[in-house]
Amino acid sequence: MILVIDALNEAKFSKILDEVYKLRARVFSGRLGWEVAVEDGREIDQYDKLNPAHIVCLDDDGEVVGCMRLLQTTGPHMLADIFFELLDGEAPLRSAQIWEATRFCIDTDKLKGRENRNSISHYTSELMLGCFEYAQSSGILDIVAVIDPVMNRVMKRSGNAPYDYIGSTKPMGVVSAMTALMDCTDERIQSIRNFAGITHDIFADEDKALALFNKGAKAKAIANDIALEPKHAPLAPAAQKSDLQQYCFEQLSKANSEKEIAAALDLLKLLSEKIGTDDVSELQRITRDLPQRTFTATSLTEMEELRPI
Amino acid sequence: MDLIDLNAMPETEARFPAFIDDLCDKLELDYASYVAMPPLSGDVRYYANYSDDWADHYAQNNLHCVDPVIHKSVNSIAPVDWQRFDRDQNFNLVFNPGREFGIPNVGISVPIRGPYGEVGLLSVSRNCEKSVWSKLKRKIMGDLQVAAVHMHDNVMQSGILPNVLSRPALSSREKEILQWAAAGKSQQDIGDILCISHRTVEVHLRSGRSKLNALTTAQAVGRAISHGLIYPG
């Protein structure tokens, strides 16, 4: 089922929206490797502060399984400001009747192995349908969307092929991104519905959706609590190990001369097995504070070798 | 829809109320209002065709400070049907007396966002049955979107924003298509010439019209020529 979250109802659906931001972090930062800012496990950018409309897809348990974000092209939007390189230096579209869709994603990890009307393919169609039906009812004629080639292929195979593209495909993270055009016509809507076998009204009753989500979230919290209960008495913390590590780091940061640094590094190297440090970033932080001249290639290489294998 | 073209009218304040009246006339509406909220100047512009009685009551009671039509709708990206508002105190403050003044409680507000972060809102309403309203709404939604942006852009360019910001940024494709339109080619022809679908031609034309503040392609061609963006056909 589809839920549209916008500025008018986001207070009511703040917990669902939170799941949307977490899903986006997993997909765009994690799976797709885009350079998006993730804070506290949530991907939120400046366009989320412009009160966009979020099309959110919930499964039968009320869990968020997909989402996308819509903005007007008359005002600030991503193609104009962020993805402009996809447009090869051309000005972006601007029209009262064109919306921009971005951050399209489906929770493929959660849906893996599910079949029929619980499958990735089904929810992808439902989410797309949510976008087109909502846009159409708002007097919108076309959607311009930034998608990746995988999404593009999925859309072509599900009765929802973009009718054209703007600009060119460019690498972005571990995949590429492209700008597709889709109309919001009855034909496209019917074609997606036919492909996915959806005949009902996909938009959720707001109160029912919220109740379902809360029920699912509660069940999940209980399951988590049970899982977190320790089965055995916790092992004593490896105090000795961390003390040793701490000592080495201190020696390194206190080092005043090249000689002392070399000695500290030697000690570190010697003990690296016992320390078992994976704290390369901590090491780099300490050495950053050291006098510049000691930043020799050798000492850096030695630190590299400390990386756990 | 054949709306008044604000850009073609003498640059006086009077063209805005005229546009509001024309909009109501063409789209079978009773009332329309437009409010612009530029981000920096705080110079709010407001045009409406409500009765003087209601306008006085609204102003005297500072209803613009609480009116959900303004404060809620402006944060949406989609047009907001007034049925979405909570029936709370603010709603009652505006709509209860409104009823006495003959103000309909079925209506819709179309939010507009401009490129400089400024926002505007076109609200329309009509006294009618809910079933009539939902049918009418579906019919006029697209026209309302176009009208809202047209009104907004013209108000913004009438001195609120510096004119230097208003030179239209057309893409090569938009210019190319307008150039062929200037040569008298139809959308279908242009699609064939450029080997793109006629829907793509239409999308670029629509975008070009919006940027040139034009309601029709003919106007867009005229303005593109006057801006020196394309050559006379």
Side-chain angles (χ1 to χ4, degrees):
Chain A
M1 69 190 104
I2 297 295
L3 185 64
V4 181
I5 304 182
D6 64 9
L8 274 72
N9 64 11
E10 71 177 349
K12 185 174 173 181
F13 297 117
S14 56
K15 282 185 183 155
I16 298 185
L17 197 54
D18 197 46
E19 291 299 320
V20 165
Y21 293 141
K22 287 193 212 161
L23 170 61
R24 276 169 34 180
R26 292 197 296 275
V27 172
F28 293 105
S29 174
R31 182 153 54 85
L32 299 181
W34 288 17
E35 281 176 23
V36 290
V38 173
E39 207 171 305
D40 204 12
R42 290 156 182 86
E43 190 268 305
I44 302 175
D45 69 5
Q46 76 245 49
Y47 296 92
D48 294 307
K49 299 187 171 78
L50 295 176
N51 295 316
H54 299 275
I55 310 288
V56 183
C57 187
L58 304 172
D59 68 5
D60 292 343
D61 298 326
E63 281 197 52
V64 174
V65 291
C67 61
M68 78 167 96
R69 177 173 73 181
L70 295 172
L71 277 165
Q72 289 144 310
T73 56
T74 52
H77 59 289
M78 294 199 82
L79 264 170
D81 313 332
I82 304 285
F83 290 135
F84 56 87
E85 65 179 88
L86 297 178
L87 301 178
D88 299 327
E90 292 289 349
L93 295 166
R94 178 185 196 256
S95 163
Q97 293 185 284
I98 304 175
W99 278 352
E100 177 196 65
T102 50
R103 295 293 195 264
F104 182 102
C105 63
I106 291 282
D107 197 337
T108 46
D109 288 339
K110 191 180 285 173
L111 296 175
K112 211 171 278 169
R114 293 205 206 170
E115 286 175 352
N116 301 324
R117 56 177 301 277
N118 286 311
S119 64
I120 293 172
S121 151
H122 183 90
Y123 285 120
T124 304
S125 293
E126 190 175 280
L127 184 55
M128 282 292 178
L129 209 49
C131 164
F132 294 123
E133 292 191 355
Y134 176 65
Q136 193 194 50
S137 73
S138 303
I140 298 304
L141 298 175
D142 293 273
I143 299 284
V144 57
V146 175
I147 56 172
D148 65 61
V150 177
M151 192 63 224
N152 187 48
R153 197 164 58 234
V154 168
M155 287 167 68
K156 280 182 177 172
R157 289 174 186 174
S158 53
N160 186 23
Y163 69 79
D164 210 341
Y165 305 87
I166 297 178
S168 55
T169 306
K170 295 260 162 60
M172 194 163 286
V174 295
V175 292
S176 311
M178 59 214 290
T179 309
L181 282 170
M182 280 89 64
D183 52 271
C184 308
T185 55
D186 289 340
E187 290 74 37
R188 179 179 296 270
I189 287 170
Q190 200 50 54
S191 165
I192 302 172
R193 280 183 169 274
N194 289 346
F195 174 83
I198 299 173
T199 51
H200 62 284
D201 178 5
I202 53 168
F203 291 96
D205 175 274
E206 290 199 350
D207 293 320
K208 275 186 196 155
L210 189 60
L212 196 63
F213 174 82
N214 286 336
K215 203 173 137 195
K218 211 170 147 187
K220 223 163 113 186
I222 291 169
N224 257 342
D225 282 349
I226 294 168
L228 283 176
E229 271 175 35
K231 291 196 173 76
H232 311 284
L235 297 165
Q240 207 191 346
K241 201 159 128 188
S242 73
D243 284 350
L244 204 58
Q245 189 177 346
Q246 187 65 32
Y247 175 75
C248 287
F249 284 159
E250 275 174 17
Q251 289 300 308
L252 191 59
S253 59
K254 277 184 199 158
N256 279 327
S257 65
E258 297 231 20
K259 208 175 156 191
E260 284 181 44
I261 293 165
L265 282 173
D266 278 342
L267 181 64
L268 250 174
K269 211 171 160 186
L270 196 70
L271 296 174
S272 64
E273 263 180 41
K274 283 190 180 163
I275 300 171
T277 183
D278 54 0
D279 258 343
V280 174
S281 60
E282 170 72 357
L283 266 173
Q284 282 166 351
R285 191 185 64 77
I286 290 169
T287 47
R288 206 176 300 137
D289 296 331
L290 293 172
Q292 276 300 314
R293 59 189 169 76
T294 65
F295 243 110
T296 58
T298 12
S299 62
L300 275 176
T301 324
E302 277 170 350
M303 280 192 298
E304 282 293 315
E305 286 167 7
L306 290 174
R307 201 173 291 191
I309 301 154
Chain B
M1 185 187 52
D2 198 12
L3 279 173
I4 293 184
D5 175 20
L6 282 167
N7 220 5
M9 291 175 76
E11 290 196 9
T12 61
E13 283 285 294
R15 64 193 163 132
F16 298 123
F19 183 82
I20 295 267
D21 283 338
D22 184 53
L23 183 74
C24 287
D25 194 37
K26 301 238 166 80
L27 299 185
E28 305 167 42
L29 298 159
D30 289 343
Y31 300 103
S33 67
Y34 168 81
V35 59
M37 288 159 271
L40 298 172
S41 64
D43 176 13
V44 174
R45 297 280 191 97
Y46 181 74
Y47 305 97
N49 63 353
Y50 294 120
S51 68
D52 292 342
D53 290 350
W54 172 246
D56 289 345
H57 175 87
Y58 195 90
Q60 275 162 22
N61 293 282
N62 287 323
L63 291 182
H64 62 279
C65 297
V66 296
D67 194 345
V69 170
I70 297 174
H71 295 280
K72 301 243 188 223
S73 312
V74 87
N75 291 323
S76 174
I77 70 154
V80 179
D81 192 299
W82 295 355
Q83 286 167 37
R84 266 194 85 187
F85 301 138
D86 293 329
R87 297 297 191 262
D88 59 9
Q89 198 188 353
N90 287 346
F91 182 90
N92 293 334
L93 272 172
V94 176
F95 282 92
N96 285 350
R99 212 175 303 142
E100 292 165 29
F101 288 92
I103 301 302
N105 64 356
V106 291
I108 193 159
S109 296
V110 186
I112 309 112
R113 296 183 194 183
Y116 315 108
E118 85 283 4
V119 291
L121 192 69
L122 178 75
S123 300
V124 299
S125 58
R126 170 167 162 184
N127 273 306
C128 63
E129 295 286 322
K130 285 208 170 113
S131 58
V132 177
W133 171 246
S134 57
K135 255 190 221 146
L136 177 67
K137 200 172 78 174
R138 258 202 305 281
K139 195 172 91 181
I140 64 175
M141 197 64 101
D143 290 337
L144 277 179
Q145 289 272 21
V146 173
V149 171
H150 186 63
M151 177 85 177
H152 178 80
D153 287 349
N154 276 285
V155 171
M156 282 299 141
Q157 281 167 25
S158 67
I160 294 190
L161 290 168
N163 279 336
V164 62
L165 293 175
S166 66
R167 187 182 155 87
L170 259 58
S171 70
S172 315
R173 201 52 129 181
E174 284 161 358
K175 281 186 265 189
E176 190 176 24
I177 288 170
L178 281 172
Q179 188 68 69
W180 281 113
K185 298 296 179 194
S186 71
Q187 275 190 34
Q188 195 64 59
D189 289 342
I190 299 172
D192 293 343
I193 293 166
L194 301 175
C195 296
I196 54 179
S197 75
H198 81 101
R199 180 111 205 162
T200 305
V201 174
E202 199 182 309
V203 142
H204 288 292
L205 275 177
R206 212 184 296 136
S207 174
R209 286 199 298 264
S210 169
K211 289 173 183 177
L212 290 159
N213 214 337
L215 288 166
T216 67
T217 300
Q219 289 163 354
V221 166
R223 264 159 227 162
I225 292 171
S226 71
H227 277 287
L229 296 165
I230 61 170
Y231 301 103

